Amino acid sequence: MARKPVGFGEDELRALAGDRSFERGLGYLDAVSGLDVGDDSVTAVVQGTDGYEVELTLGGHIGVLGRCDCPYGQEGNFCKHCVAVGLTVLRQAEEIPRQRAAARTRASGLEAWLTALSRDELLALVREQVAGDRELRRRLELRAAAARSDLGTVRDRVLALLDPRPFARYGYVEYDAAPGYARQVQEAADALRALSAGGQSACAVGLAEEAIRALGEAYGEIDDSDGVVGQAVAAVAEAHLEACSVARPDPERLAEWLVGHVLGDWNDATDLDPLDYADVLGHTGVARLRQLAAEARRRSPRGWAERYLMERLVHAEGDVDALVALYAQDLVPSGATHLRIAEELDAAGRPEDALAWAERGLRDTAGEAHVDGRLVDYACARYSRAGREAETVAIRRDRFLAERSLAAYRQLRAAARSAGRWETERAAALAALREDAPQERSGWHRGPVLIDALLDDGDLDTAWREASGRADDRQWQQLADLSRETRPADALGVYLRLVELLKEPTGERVYERLARLLLDVRSCHRALGTEDAFTPYLAGLRAELKRRRKLMTVLDGHGL
């Protein structure tokens, strides 16, 4: 086990990454380059599909942290590239303390040198850096324009930063170009904040609204699979809210802009919530929001955005009856809306009204094959708490008869057992499933629920009687697996038939399944005392399929 002069060891890396990523990281040790040790971090480049930049913290009370710009790392995972850099650090562990001390010396030396420079020398240094770094120059130009209130230049620069065309190929910003565009959007957000900090919050409000519209128009043409652009766009939206909080724009105009944005085609990018602006809007602005939302709802009663906006406003007002009335205008067939109303009434301390809505939902969805299971569970839980087991069983029975699924059968069984009525309910349920059971089906997932229910009950004798001409291959194998000890001859017949079905298909998964079936065949022969019959059977099978070398390797691996 490696020592821990750097604050972590292999165990910590494995725990952070998981076994799979840790093992894969071992294969990237030779791909690590440019290892740079700082005071409290290490950076390096790992060559994978692309060259990925990795940064690890070094120890401390929170342990090692890792950051990588590969897709998996950008989701917040400690990836294989982080593992490779961590293991590289551990290989050089004895040198790390000296390198960290050297980094601290360099940092303090740089600070002392900068402090000692005169104003002219500092200006010359900055000009030198600006001349050689386009991004740095652009950021400083934007800060300078904001500082001198050159609003025309700030506007031009911000809108230029939001222009996706330099990153687009064939009119579309592809996945690998999205992080670069996101960095520019973040620059725009920083510039908007700088405007507000410089006493130009009113200008920042207007410019932020322009920026949000531009981003909304561009976002649909960006592959933002990792969400990096979305995070930067959210920063622009936050800058708008911050500017409004300082500038206090006309509340009615702000309300009109917010409603227009939410109901327009641009909110996918920012996902603005008008209620975040409640403090800025005040009573007048919120009232205008409500008025505009109601008008939009009347114009488009089925519109998703219109419904969402109205629901958010009514919910914020705390008027439960108004919210229930709003939800009741659009009851979905699955019963999900009924459940939502019941939950709102429960939260308001009105359990009787809540249950009444749940019961209405069950009535409205009676006979529907697809009902929100949470509604059924809600009503059953309420009845169970009240000791109303008969009603719980009735609900589960109705849902079972409508769905005819194994899950519904299990739920009916649990409720009926609790009520001491399972024997009667089971007979009726199996009779219903027996009517549905298809005849002469074949394949892997086409068998009747009847067989699944019998297997789930452990009623193997009945399952064997009902399986003939009905069960699918999956159910036959499950039946054989459960009966191998008690009915080895019947199980053997099933396994031999399934082996025959797997002679034609190829592939490693097929071969593994075939090997497991052969092991089952051998177990049945042992239980029957006919193991001598298995040896020539296996030899004949191997001779028949001998050209499949991968299969032979798999069989050898299983001792066959």
Side-chain angles (χ1 to χ4, degrees):
M1 180 64 65
R3 291 179 293 167
K4 300 184 181 181
V6 296
F8 64 88
E10 287 191 13
D11 289 343
E12 285 82 358
L13 295 179
R14 186 183 289 275
L16 285 167
D19 289 339
R20 179 177 174 82
S21 287
F22 183 85
E23 296 300 327
R24 296 181 70 185
L26 292 172
Y28 280 81
L29 291 174
D30 293 337
V32 177
S33 64
L35 191 72
D36 184 27
V37 179
D39 182 16
D40 59 0
S41 66
V42 172
T43 58
V45 173
V46 181
Q47 191 62 43
T49 307
D50 292 305
Y52 296 118
E53 294 185 5
V54 174
E55 180 178 7
L56 300 182
T57 60
L58 292 180
H61 68 282
I62 58 174
V64 62
L65 298 176
R67 181 195 63 79
C68 179
D69 60 2
C70 74
Y72 188 62
Q74 287 183 354
E75 294 175 359
N77 299 298
F78 198 90
C79 64
K80 60 190 177 185
H81 308 113
C82 291
V83 171
V85 174
L87 292 172
T88 301
V89 169
L90 291 177
R91 284 183 170 185
Q92 304 177 17
E94 302 221 353
E95 288 295 312
I96 296 298
R98 182 189 61 78
Q99 293 173 339
R100 293 179 68 181
R104 287 193 293 271
T105 300
R106 292 194 301 272
S108 62
L110 175 60
E111 179 67 23
W113 177 65
L114 289 173
T115 303
L117 291 176
S118 66
R119 177 179 180 277
D120 289 342
E121 288 170 328
L122 280 172
L123 286 172
L125 178 62
V126 171
R127 292 187 183 107
E128 177 186 333
Q129 297 303 310
V130 166
D133 188 331
R134 177 175 173 272
E135 288 194 9
L136 176 61
R137 182 180 72 252
R138 188 171 58 196
R139 290 197 297 270
L140 293 180
E141 285 174 348
L142 193 52
R143 288 195 184 185
R148 66 176 184 271
S149 298
D150 183 354
L151 302 181
T153 298
V154 172
R155 179 182 180 277
D156 291 344
R157 292 299 305 131
V158 165
L159 295 181
L161 287 170
L162 303 179
D163 184 357
R165 288 175 295 181
F167 297 87
R169 295 182 60 192
Y170 313 111
Y172 188 81
V173 179
E174 296 181 342
Y175 173 80
D176 58 352
Y181 180 63
R183 284 192 290 271
Q184 288 200 177
V185 175
Q186 183 62 57
E187 280 188 49
D190 293 341
L192 293 169
R193 286 196 170 96
L195 267 184
S196 292
Q200 298 290 340
S201 55
C203 296
V205 170
L207 182 52
E209 290 173 2
E210 278 194 81
I212 288 170
R213 182 182 181 107
L215 288 166
E217 293 172 347
Y219 194 68
E221 302 301 322
I222 300 170
D223 182 352
D224 191 29
S225 299
D226 291 336
V228 291
V229 177
Q231 293 174 6
V233 172
V236 173
E238 290 169 7
H240 177 257
L241 176 56
E242 292 171 9
C244 287
S245 299
V246 177
R248 315 301 291 189
D250 176 76
E252 293 197 11
R253 191 212 70 82
L254 177 59
E256 291 163 5
W257 180 84
L258 287 168
V259 171
H261 180 78
V262 170
L263 301 184
D265 297 328
W266 316 293
N267 202 35
D268 286 347
T270 55
D271 195 25
L272 282 181
D273 184 348
L275 290 178
D276 289 341
Y277 292 77
D279 290 342
V280 180
L281 290 165
H283 177 74
T284 301
V286 171
R288 181 61 174 153
L289 269 182
R290 184 75 154 78
Q291 178 189 3
L292 293 169
E295 293 172 357
R297 177 78 170 162
R298 284 193 293 271
R299 288 194 303 271
S300 180
R302 295 289 180 181
W304 180 90
E306 288 80 0
R307 183 173 70 250
Y308 164 78
L309 177 59
M310 195 67 188
E311 287 176 2
R312 288 286 295 126
L313 292 171
V314 174
H315 195 282
E317 291 169 359
D319 186 341
V320 177
D321 289 320
L323 187 61
V324 168
L326 182 62
Y327 288 155
Q329 294 174 14
D330 191 15
L331 297 172
V332 298
S334 70
T337 318
H338 298 80
L339 174 63
R340 192 172 184 184
I341 291 172
E343 290 173 338
E344 292 289 351
L345 290 167
D346 253 340
R350 294 164 57 178
E352 292 81 7
D353 293 337
L355 181 57
W357 265 99
E359 291 170 331
R360 174 178 168 179
L362 294 175
R363 292 192 301 272
D364 290 351
T365 59
E368 292 281 346
H370 302 290
V371 174
D372 193 319
R374 297 173 303 163
L375 174 65
V376 180
D377 292 343
Y378 175 90
C380 288
R382 290 291 302 273
Y383 285 150
S384 294
R385 288 200 298 271
R388 298 163 63 178
E389 284 91 354
E391 285 147 302
T392 302
V393 172
I395 292 174
R396 294 301 187 188
R397 182 194 309 123
D398 290 344
R399 287 316 313 153
F400 166 74
L401 291 174
E403 293 180 21
R404 308 292 177 102
S405 68
L406 178 60
Y409 180 85
R410 287 169 170 168
Q411 290 168 331
L412 172 60
R413 181 176 63 199
R417 279 179 173 169
S418 180
R421 299 174 51 180
W422 178 227
E423 185 175 348
T424 302
E425 292 292 338
R426 181 175 187 263
L430 291 177
L433 291 178
R434 195 170 282 111
E435 292 176 3
D436 292 344
Q439 300 291 326
E440 300 298 333
R441 292 293 185 94
S442 61
W444 189 249
H445 285 289
R446 302 183 63 190
V449 175
L450 172 65
I451 306 302
D452 289 327
L454 292 169
L455 291 171
D456 204 62
D457 283 341
D459 188 352
L460 302 184
D461 290 338
T462 307
W464 277 104
R465 290 196 301 271
E466 298 285 356
S468 180
R470 289 174 168 174
D472 62 21
D473 294 336
R474 169 187 58 85
Q475 291 169 331
W476 277 117
Q477 181 166 350
Q478 187 178 357
L479 184 53
D481 290 344
L482 293 171
S483 308
R484 196 161 53 216
E485 294 182 5
T486 57
R487 302 177 67 154
D490 292 330
L492 176 60
V494 173
Y495 291 138
L496 290 173
R497 183 180 65 81
L498 294 176
V499 167
E500 290 298 314
L501 294 177
L502 292 182
K503 285 183 177 181
E504 291 298 324
T506 60
E508 187 168 355
R509 292 179 65 183
V510 173
Y511 297 156
E512 286 289 341
R513 187 171 163 229
L514 181 57
R516 288 194 294 271
L517 283 171
L518 289 170
L519 291 172
D520 293 331
V521 170
R522 186 170 66 185
S523 295
C524 289
H525 275 298
R526 285 175 176 169
L528 292 166
T530 57
E531 191 170 2
D532 288 346
F534 178 71
T535 302
Y537 168 77
L538 178 61
L541 184 69
R542 290 185 66 110
E544 181 182 352
L545 303 177
K546 64 182 179 181
R547 293 184 181 277
R548 301 185 189 178
R549 295 182 179 177
K550 181 62 177 177
L551 172 59
M552 297 299 107
T553 301
V554 170
L555 295 180
D556 290 342
H558 286 276
L560 294 166

